[in-house]
Amino acid sequence: MKLNEQQLATFDRDGIVAVENLFSQEEVDRLNFALAEVKAKRPPGAVAQRTSDSLRLIYGADHHHPDYAALARHPRWVEPARQLLDSEVYIHQMRINTKAAFDGEGWWWHQDFATWHFEDGMPEPRALMIGVLLDDCDTCNGPLQVIPGSHRFGHIDDNAPDRDKSGYTVMDLPRETIARLAHEGGMRALTGKAGTVFFMHCNLVHGSSTNISPGERTIIYINVNAVDNAITKPVRADYFANKDFTPIKTVDDACLTID
């Protein structure tokens, strides 16, 4: 699967492009079943919310379940990623953001590249966030929110490190910057059906609000980097920052529907 010219133009303009139904309901169900097994293990890289024991993040699920290991090499996202970065790619980090029903915590506005540059020494913003919806996302369950076109302002240095209890740092942006960017580009909630995939530039400014709905909201983030843009400070745990920069070799397209 490759992105068409219109999709490429949308990504260039907005820093994000959505592909609906990239994964089928059968594949989504399988990944959700696998996620329940990973959650039950509470492996290293599983992070609870700041205010409860509900999980907020799971890093490195591809190291803890074969279905996520297969997803980590799935051609349906690998080919567009190679296309967008004009490079072979490797996974810098896979994380699952799961927002519990009624009180799933949100995230302040930030750029992911800022963290990877600050913590891991990623040289250039030649990386992507690839968000796979495992639940239907609507305006009521804390969807990801983005400022379209904000990637074109580059890496914003005016930020403040906000470290959570897992040790992961989010580089929060000031309100004045968000107001200015939103005035220029507007704001968009990333809603869609489970199986939709969002390809996002690593400098796209984004955040999310609390989930106050009665249903969980889960997104898998496959964060990939160009192989010639490998990190220069490989000191964090592998589930935060992968130290294997080998280009991904894809698996069979049907890997999530066959045993």
Side-chain angles (χ1 to χ4, degrees), residues 64-137:
H64 301 297
H65 199 285
D67 287 344
Y68 280 93
L71 178 64
R73 299 168 59 195
H74 204 291
R76 267 178 253 161
W77 71 259
V78 173
E79 290 301 329
R82 289 171 176 163
Q83 191 179 6
L84 289 169
L85 293 176
D86 193 24
S87 171
E88 292 292 332
V89 299
Y90 73 94
I91 291 182
H92 173 64
Q93 175 194 94
M94 179 185 281
R95 70 172 183 263
I96 302 173
N97 287 40
T98 178
K99 287 190 179 182
F102 294 116
D103 66 354
E105 296 168 349
W107 299 86
W108 184 251
W109 296 98
H110 63 280
Q111 296 173 305
D112 275 18
F113 174 70
T115 296
W116 304 335
H117 184 66
F118 174 78
E119 292 277 18
D120 308 317
M122 185 179 288
E124 301 292 337
R126 297 184 55 231
L128 301 171
M129 303 177 296
I130 302 172
V132 182
L133 302 190
L134 284 194
D135 297 304
D136 294 347
C137 284

Side-chain angles (χ1 to χ4, degrees), residues 161-182:
D162 178 12
R163 188 178 294 272
D164 69 22
K165 60 187 175 184
S166 72
Y168 192 75
T169 304
V170 174
M171 309 298 284
D172 291 348
L173 292 170
R175 295 182 179 187
E176 297 78 12
T177 299
I178 299 306
R180 173 174 55 82
L181 293 174

Side-chain angles (χ1 to χ4, degrees), residues 106-223:
W107 299 86
W108 184 251
W109 296 98
H110 63 280
Q111 296 173 305
D112 275 18
F113 174 70
T115 296
W116 304 335
H117 184 66
F118 174 78
E119 292 277 18
D120 308 317
M122 185 179 288
E124 301 292 337
R126 297 184 55 231
L128 301 171
M129 303 177 296
I130 302 172
V132 182
L133 302 190
L134 284 194
D135 297 304
D136 294 347
C137 284
D138 57 37
T139 55
C140 296
N141 65 354
L144 189 71
Q145 299 178 57
V146 303
I147 299 179
S150 54
H151 66 300
R152 291 185 277 107
F153 291 88
H155 174 216
I156 300 170
D157 292 324
D158 184 14
N159 53 45
D162 178 12
R163 188 178 294 272
D164 69 22
K165 60 187 175 184
S166 72
Y168 192 75
T169 304
V170 174
M171 309 298 284
D172 291 348
L173 292 170
R175 295 182 179 187
E176 297 78 12
T177 299
I178 299 306
R180 173 174 55 82
L181 293 174
H183 178 75
E184 297 210 17
M187 302 170 75
R188 175 186 169 194
L190 300 189
T191 59
K193 295 292 185 181
T196 296
V197 175
F198 294 95
F199 293 85
M200 294 170 274
H201 193 285
C202 63
N203 271 337
L204 185 72
V205 175
H206 61 285
S208 66
S209 57
T210 302
N211 176 19
I212 58 173
S213 79
E216 192 168 283
R217 188 236 68 177
T218 302
I219 304 176
I220 306 166
Y221 288 102
I222 308 169
N223 299 321

Side-chain angles (χ1 to χ4, degrees), residues 228-243:
D228 61 350
N229 193 46
I231 61 174
T232 60
K233 296 193 299 184
V235 295
R236 295 199 295 166
D238 285 349
Y239 51 77
F240 282 151
N242 185 16
K243 301 175 183 67

